[in-house]
Amino acid sequence: MALIAPSMLSADFLHLEKDVEMVNSCADIFHLDIMDGVFVPNISYGFPVVEAIASVADKPMDAHLMITHPEKYVERFAKTGVAMLSAHLETMEHPVEVMTLVRSFGIKAGIAFNPDVPVEKVFPYLDSCDFVLIMSVFAGFGGQKFIEDTYGRVKTLKREIVSRSLDVKIEVDGGVSPSNAVALSEAGADILVAGSAVFKAADPAAAVKAMR
C-alpha cells in the first residue's frame, strides 16, 4: 500500500495547525512544495512556514525543492528537520554531488523531474538516491490535470529499480486523487502526493482514507 503525502501548498494557511493535525492523525508524510519563482513561475513559502509545520508535525516532512541551485539550501532544510528532500534533475549540474550532500545530513535524497523529461534520464543516478519523484503534472502549479502517461513512466522506472535490486522508492506528485491512487500503487508507486484532492475535499480525512 502506498504512503499518502498531503501537499501543504493546498492547506488552509489561515488555519494551518488544523490541517497539520489532520495529516498527523490520518496521513503518512507532509509534502512541502518549495518554489522560487525562477525554476517555476510561482513562489510558494519558505523557512518560516516549514519551521511552523515542523513545530507540530508528528509525521516525517518531505521537502520538494522546485528551485535553482538547490544545493545552497540543503543544510538549512536539514536544520528544519525534514526527513526527505528532493531536487529537480533539470536544476542540478552535478546530481550525484547534490544527493551525497543531502545524505550527509542523514536525510533521504530524491531526484524529481517534470513530465517532459524522459524517465531514462534518471537511471544513471539511481545508485545515488533514495527515492525518485515523478511529476504527473508540470511543477509549479496546484490543481492541474493528471497526465495519463505517468502510469507507463512509473512502470518503466519500477522495472529498472527491480532489475538492479535497488531500494529506491517511487513518489508521484500532481493530480493524484482517490480515482487514480490504486492504479498508481499497482504500477509501482510507493508514495502518493495529493494537494487539492485532500484539502479541497469536504472531508480531507475521508479523502486520505479513500486513497488508501
Side-chain angles (χ1 to χ4, degrees):
M1 185 189 296
L3 300 176
I4 308 300
S7 171
M8 302 311 291
L9 187 63
S10 297
D12 179 356
F13 279 79
L14 276 178
H15 305 94
L16 189 56
E17 189 168 5
K18 171 179 66 71
D19 284 347
V20 170
E21 290 303 337
M22 186 279 297
V23 176
N24 278 337
S25 66
C26 65
D28 304 297
I29 296 168
F30 288 91
H31 188 79
L32 309 174
D33 287 307
I34 311 299
M35 306 177 188
D36 65 356
V38 181
F39 173 58
V40 294
N42 273 344
I43 295 173
S44 59
Y45 49 77
F47 294 109
V49 172
V50 174
E51 288 162 355
I53 293 171
S55 71
V56 286
D58 295 331
K59 300 295 173 69
M61 297 190 303
D62 168 24
H64 173 197
L65 305 190
M66 291 171 265
I67 65 176
T68 58
H69 306 296
E71 66 281 354
K72 291 183 179 179
Y73 302 94
V74 170
E75 183 173 3
R76 183 82 188 273
F77 275 103
K79 288 178 178 175
T80 69
V82 300
M84 303 166 62
L85 186 148
S86 60
H88 270 257
L89 188 59
E90 304 96 308
T91 67
M92 293 184 285
E93 200 171 336
H94 304 291
V96 174
E97 290 180 15
V98 178
M99 294 299 101
T100 301
L101 176 63
V102 174
R103 285 173 156 180
S104 75
F105 290 100
I107 299 170
K108 290 182 178 175
I111 296 179
F113 53 95
N114 270 314
D116 58 349
V117 175
V119 71
E120 291 79 10
K121 290 264 189 184
V122 80
F123 288 2
Y125 309 111
L126 291 176
D127 290 308
S128 305
C129 66
D130 302 293
F131 67 101
V132 173
L133 174 50
I134 294 182
M135 292 299 300
S136 40
V137 301
F138 281 89
F141 296 95
Q144 295 179 68
K145 184 171 167 44
F146 178 83
I147 296 172
E148 295 294 323
D149 286 355
T150 303
Y151 299 115
R153 287 161 66 79
V154 171
K155 289 175 182 175
T156 298
L157 179 57
K158 192 70 171 185
R159 275 196 302 270
E160 182 70 13
I161 291 169
V162 171
S163 72
R164 289 163 58 179
S165 301
L166 297 172
D167 183 18
V168 176
K169 305 301 183 189
I170 299 175
E171 184 172 14
V172 178
D173 181 4
V176 176
S177 70
S179 66
N180 55 26
V182 172
L184 284 168
S185 182
E186 289 175 347
D190 302 291
I191 303 167
L192 301 178
V193 177
S196 302
V198 171
F199 290 112
K200 306 304 182 198
D203 185 344
V208 171
K209 188 176 180 181
M211 289 177 66
R212 293 197 189 283

